[in-house]
Amino acid sequence: MRMRVGRLAACLTLALAACAPAAKPRVQPVTPPAVAAAPATTTAPTAMPVSLGLVPWPRELAAGTGPGLDVGPASKIFVTNAPAALRIAGDLAALVARSTGFRPPVTPFVPGVSEFVPPGSLSVTLVPGTTLPEGYQLIVEDSRLRLNAAAPAGLFYGLQTIRQLLPYWGEYDAILFQRPRPALIPPLTIRDAPRYEWRGAMLDVARHFFTVDDVKRFVDLLALHKMNRLHLHLADDQGWRIEIKKWPDLTAKGGATEVGGGAGGFYTQAQYSDIVAYAAERFITIVPEIDMPGHTNAALSSYAELNCSGQAPPVFTGTEVGFSALCVGMDFTYLFIDDVVKEIAAITPGPYFHMGGDEVKKLTPAQYRGFVERVQTIVQARGKQMIGWDEVAAATLLPTSVVQHWRPDAAHGELARAPHLILSPGNRTYLDMKYDDDTALGLKWAGLIPVRTAYDWDPAAIVPEAPAAAVLGVEAPLWSETIANMRDAEFLAMPRLAAIAEVGWSPAAARDWERFRVRLGAQGPRWAALGINFYRAPDIPWK
Ligand code: NGO
């Protein structure tokens, strides 16, 4: 079973070497094709061909004429001779192999040497300055496909688009053993780039533990939808999930259970680094969270000396919140926090450290603010930007700090002053809310969230008083009080994760529920082929 999950995970995000027979690249020098001029017209939102099952919808798309590119045995891939581009071209070759049974050879361009680029070719080029950050341009004609971007992330997102343009049956493992068949990519020009730089999801691995393979599979779901942040909620009352070498009991004791009393678990630092690297290959930044000063029973039960009373409370396997707090008046607490931040910062290449800060019921407002400000200094001294749930907006924040909005009724005055904002309104983005009253899993404190509710909102209208430049983007948290494994997680996340991905990526003017639900429905066969346990929401016309 583990093997299968690992293989599926590999196949799911185009680490496709694992899924298709390898072929040696044949080196044949050619010059890069010129980057195409802008298309004469782009489709107005009303004219968008919804038959293209793209999610998220691109910034600009112009349908072309002709039958499109027939990818077949004559196809070759030409690529900029740079490691990241070569890797993405290799993934493209594997993707084509899965769809057609033919693996196109990958040939690096050799600058200055001119050669004919044969019909049927695909090219992957890195051309600095040609696209917006994370953007790409994809031009498909009858005789060739050209993907170019200013940076590797853009090529990766272009590859995800190509994947959704190829037939879904390429996602089945079994197809490799069947007769090769041609795949037609429709003619079009796409100029794409995300609306927001922060397109994230959060996985709560504290309430229930999720294995490294589970997290990688979750990463795959994000990558498929051009999301680029995975926030890991690594510590809460019910479990501490990351090895801290100086404080081994955090995991030995605090990691040994979970909601309901199961065995729990934790990541060694090496395993965490493995997740970070896997995510980085998919252009996803890991954002580690150690929730404090509340939600800390796992730490408090591991070390008696962290408690004001000097007594360690028992481990906790229930789901109530707000009963635990670190001993904020004691200097020793900050030595502990510094050790934790230091070790996690050292294995986290991304610029962020999330300190939680939510639902603290045991401290006075002044104690709380003082705590947040002191932790903020520690995080900054360890080289990271502090993020906190929206309660931290009550403190005096550094210009680099980030506030994550989650309470639908949080005070807008404070949020508007936040140096940076991530939007995770509980009544729109919380993937752990039930779809409807019949949903067996999930909570409903923030309301029921059918797919349309997750889709039909504008991040710019959530805290209208906040300057547009302060809004980094959106994030969909998946809390795990009611979910115990990836099957459960997929059921709550999919399809709403795809809806949030489009909220974060696509321009507001291009978003439309009626068209989205058709495009989302077109993902059904692909997701089924990938073995994703998605909820067949009744408001979506699943293919
Ligand atoms: C809240 C709470 C979490 C719960 C979650 C459940 C935040 C930021 N704190 O969100 O502890 O798990 O709701 O939906």
Side-chain angles (χ1 to χ4, degrees):
M1 183 60 197
R2 264 296 156 262
M3 282 276 297
R4 173 141 184 87
V5 169
R7 180 175 158 75
L8 264 178
C11 298
L12 194 49
T13 46
L14 307 179
L16 283 166
C19 316
K24 272 195 177 163
R26 267 191 273 139
V27 178
Q28 179 193 18
V30 288
T31 44
V35 174
T41 52
T42 56
T43 47
T46 46
M48 282 176 180
V50 288
S51 59
L52 296 177
L54 297 176
V55 175
W57 189 254
R59 176 178 287 234
E60 281 179 31
L61 185 151
T65 52
L69 178 68
D70 190 354
V71 188
S75 297
K76 294 186 163 91
I77 297 175
F78 298 100
V79 57
T80 300
N81 199 357
L86 284 162
R87 182 168 67 80
I88 289 166
D91 285 349
L92 177 59
L95 188 60
V96 169
R98 289 181 64 81
S99 292
T100 65
F102 310 109
R103 189 185 175 98
V106 174
T107 305
F109 293 119
V110 176
V113 181
S114 180
E115 267 198 41
F116 177 62
V117 180
S121 296
L122 302 89
S123 63
V124 175
T125 45
L126 270 178
V127 190
T130 50
T131 53
L132 292 167
E134 299 185 280
Y136 66 92
Q137 177 175 281
L138 174 67
I139 300 167
V140 184
E141 297 157 319
D142 292 352
S143 62
R144 60 183 181 172
L145 172 153
R146 283 171 292 168
L147 170 63
N148 80 276
L155 292 182
F156 184 78
Y157 298 133
L159 184 65
Q160 306 312 314
T161 297
I162 295 170
R163 183 177 193 168
Q164 290 185 346
L165 293 171
L166 282 164
Y168 73 86
W169 37 259
E171 310 287 3
Y172 281 107
D173 284 346
I175 213 73
L176 292 176
F177 304 106
Q178 294 182 13
R179 195 159 48 86
R181 34 183 153 181
L184 206 59
I185 307 184
L188 44 72
T189 295
I190 289 175
R191 290 163 177 282
D192 204 2
R195 178 177 181 192
Y196 288 112
E197 68 177 87
W198 192 289
R199 306 176 306 280
M202 188 209 80
L203 184 62
D204 172 8
V205 296
R207 269 52 178 275
H208 279 97
F209 181 63
F210 289 80
T211 65
V212 171
D213 279 345
D214 291 339
V215 177
K216 288 181 175 176
R217 183 154 168 108
F218 199 67
V219 164
D220 292 343
L221 298 178
L222 268 58
L224 200 53
H225 298 98
K226 305 186 175 84
M227 297 178 102
N228 64 356
R229 302 280 187 269
L230 174 60
H231 166 181
L232 290 175
H233 185 75
L234 291 166
D236 210 301
D237 290 319
Q238 300 86 345
W240 185 286
R241 308 296 181 204
I242 176 82
E243 174 189 25
I244 302 296
K245 294 190 196 266
K246 198 165 167 194
W247 297 76
D249 284 352
L250 289 171
T251 45
K253 291 186 186 165
T257 192
E258 60 184 10
V259 166
F266 67 93
Y267 311 120
T268 63
Q269 293 196 359
Q271 287 174 321
Y272 175 84
S273 296
D274 181 33
I275 292 171
V276 166
Y278 185 89
E281 279 176 15
R282 290 149 184 84
F283 299 90
I284 291 171
T285 300
I286 297 292
V287 179
E289 177 189 351
I290 298 295
D291 204 346
M292 59 181 116
H295 292 275
T296 41
N297 191 76
L300 295 168
S301 65
S302 303
Y303 286 96
E305 56 270 44
L306 289 175
N307 295 270
C308 291
S309 66
Q311 301 268 313
V315 295
F316 179 69
T317 59
T319 56
E320 292 81 46
V321 298
F323 62 90
S324 58
L326 291 174
C327 190
V328 300
M330 183 169 72
D331 283 341
F332 184 68
T333 296
Y334 301 92
L335 296 175
F336 163 73
I337 293 170
D338 186 50
D339 287 339
V340 169
V341 175
K342 178 183 165 193
E343 289 197 28
I344 293 177
I347 52 174
T348 302
Y352 313 104
F353 182 94
H354 200 307
M355 62 148 297
D358 57 320
E359 298 180 313
V360 180
K361 300 185 185 156
K362 289 247 169 138
L363 305 179
T364 64
Q367 279 177 317
Y368 175 78
R369 288 195 301 271
F371 176 84
V372 169
E373 287 159 20
R374 202 159 162 185
V375 172
Q376 178 176 243
T377 308
I378 292 172
V379 169
Q380 191 197 34
R382 293 294 171 196
K384 300 293 173 192
Q385 273 176 264
M386 190 197 80
I387 307 180
W389 295 107
D390 61 34
E391 289 92 329
V392 303
T396 302
L397 298 178
L398 291 167
T400 50
S401 290
V402 183
V403 173
Q404 184 166 12
H405 172 48
W406 68 280
R407 294 172 301 170
D409 59 354
H412 280 201
E414 281 176 358
L415 292 176
R417 287 195 301 276
H420 303 282
L421 260 184
I422 299 167
L423 298 171
S424 301
N427 53 358
R428 298 286 187 179
T429 66
Y430 266 39
L431 299 175
D432 60 312
M433 292 301 117
K434 292 174 183 288
Y435 292 95
D436 60 34
D437 272 318
D438 296 333
T439 312
L441 303 173
L443 304 173
K444 53 180 186 179
W445 69 262
L448 301 170
I449 307 190
V451 185
R452 183 171 189 164
T453 303
Y455 181 77
D456 231 350
W457 61 285
D458 182 6
I462 296 295
V463 187
E465 305 87 344
V471 178
L472 298 181
V474 297
E475 183 176 301
L478 179 50
W479 299 95
S480 63
E481 286 96 330
T482 69
I483 59 172
N485 55 48
M486 269 316 279
R487 302 296 289 165
D488 295 350
E490 287 171 13
F491 179 81
L492 286 181
M494 301 291 277
R496 291 180 294 193
L497 184 77
I500 301 297
E502 180 153 314
V503 171
W505 182 281
S506 306
R511 291 212 286 118
D512 174 88
W513 164 249
E514 287 304 327
R515 290 188 194 90
F516 174 72
R517 56 193 282 276
V518 175
R519 286 185 283 110
L520 190 63
Q523 308 306 310
R526 186 175 303 277
W527 292 355
L530 288 166
I532 299 171
N533 187 37
F534 64 99
Y535 171 55
R536 271 76 173 168
D539 43 350
I540 305 301
W542 297 107
K543 269 199 184 169

